[in-house]
Amino acid sequence: AASQAGTQRDLEDIAQDCYNLFEICKVQHLNDSAAYWIELRANLDTTNVEWLLEAGNFVFNFLSYIDKAKTYYHTALSAAQLSNNAELIANCYNDIGYMYSNIGEFDKAIDNLELSIKIRESISESDAPSFTNSYSNLGFCYSILGQYDKALKLFETALSILQQNYGEHNLEVALSFNNIGLIHFNMGQTIESLKYFYKALDTQIDIIGENSRDV
């Protein structure tokens, strides 16, 4: 048992070293090197869902390695299902859905994102940021497809969850205001869209000041 504990500590130390080197390379925009370290960490323990998802997200978002990302996502999903961890399973479906939405496969994206939301709704204390992320990702799918009523409802639900958990003073709340404003704009509701754009702007200025690029 002592030997196993020592081995686990060694693994965690190596994993932390890999992650530190990943962060250094990422900040320096050395994406190939960053991918090497984050993938090395993921392959140290292919039952660690979070490590696998982080590797998949990086190679997809920064290097557009779609097939490699799919492998990481589905390995993560299998590990999450084996652990019977509903939150991790929902995270996997969310990230898979996000990937499919970004490569234009919206039917697959919607299927996975709806699964993610369904699972989260069954969890009494689901992580609020992850919950709203799934709603927002699904909202973007419907927005791109021109189904603005569905998108608006999803963005409004995301906003409600964020406000219940964090109040108004939160950058994610500002982003939700902006998302809702965009939907109203696409629906030709200019006055309503401006109302939400100004809410987004005021919230961001209040939190990060006027000199931010986002503002």
Side-chain angles (χ1 to χ4, degrees):
S3 176
Q4 288 178 342
T7 301
Q8 182 62 30
R9 282 196 299 272
D10 290 342
L11 178 66
E12 291 172 358
D13 288 342
I14 295 169
Q16 187 60 53
D17 288 342
C18 288
Y19 189 77
N20 292 340
L21 289 164
F22 160 73
E23 289 277 85
I24 292 168
C25 293
K26 184 180 177 183
V27 169
Q28 296 176 352
H29 305 290
L30 302 172
N31 290 340
D32 287 329
S33 297
Y36 171 81
W37 292 113
I38 201 68
E39 288 187 77
L40 182 60
R41 184 183 73 156
N43 289 304
L44 288 172
D45 181 1
T46 56
T47 67
N48 191 309
V49 176
E50 293 177 353
W51 293 0
L52 291 163
L53 289 180
E54 287 188 15
N57 289 336
F58 186 81
V59 299
F60 177 72
N61 289 316
F62 288 87
L63 295 170
S64 299
Y65 292 166
I66 297 171
D67 289 339
K68 183 177 280 190
K70 285 182 180 179
T71 298
Y72 281 119
Y73 290 144
H74 287 289
T75 303
L77 178 59
S78 296
Q81 289 170 332
L82 282 173
S83 71
N84 201 31
N85 186 313
E87 188 76 42
L88 291 178
I89 294 170
N91 289 345
C92 292
Y93 281 126
N94 175 74
D95 289 2
I96 292 169
Y98 173 82
M99 174 195 66
Y100 278 123
S101 71
N102 277 271
I103 62 176
E105 296 187 32
F106 295 109
D107 288 344
K108 291 181 180 179
I110 289 169
D111 286 345
N112 281 279
L113 291 167
E114 286 182 343
L115 271 172
S116 176
I117 290 170
K118 183 178 180 180
I119 292 168
R120 292 194 199 285
E121 288 175 341
S122 71
I123 304 171
S124 59
E125 296 183 359
S126 186
D127 179 57
S130 298
F131 211 158
T132 56
N133 192 28
S134 295
Y135 275 113
S136 295
N137 285 338
L138 186 55
F140 280 118
C141 287
Y142 283 122
S143 176
I144 292 169
L145 293 171
Q147 299 183 38
Y148 298 127
D149 288 337
K150 289 183 177 181
L152 182 60
K153 184 176 180 181
L154 288 159
F155 286 138
E156 288 174 340
T157 302
L159 174 62
S160 177
I161 293 169
L162 286 167
Q163 289 173 321
Q164 288 171 15
N165 284 271
Y166 306 113
E168 297 286 323
H169 196 75
N170 183 275
L171 288 175
E172 291 297 321
V173 170
L175 180 60
S176 288
F177 284 143
N178 195 68
N179 291 339
I180 293 170
L182 286 169
I183 295 299
H184 282 297
F185 180 77
N186 288 331
M187 296 172 76
Q189 300 168 354
T190 308
I191 301 300
E192 193 70 9
S193 70
L194 281 171
K195 182 178 78 173
Y196 281 98
F197 288 147
Y198 277 118
K199 282 186 175 183
L201 181 62
D202 290 343
T203 303
Q204 285 192 320
I205 290 174
D206 189 43
I207 296 172
I208 58 179
E210 293 187 348
N211 296 322
S212 161
R213 179 179 176 181
D214 287 341
V215 168

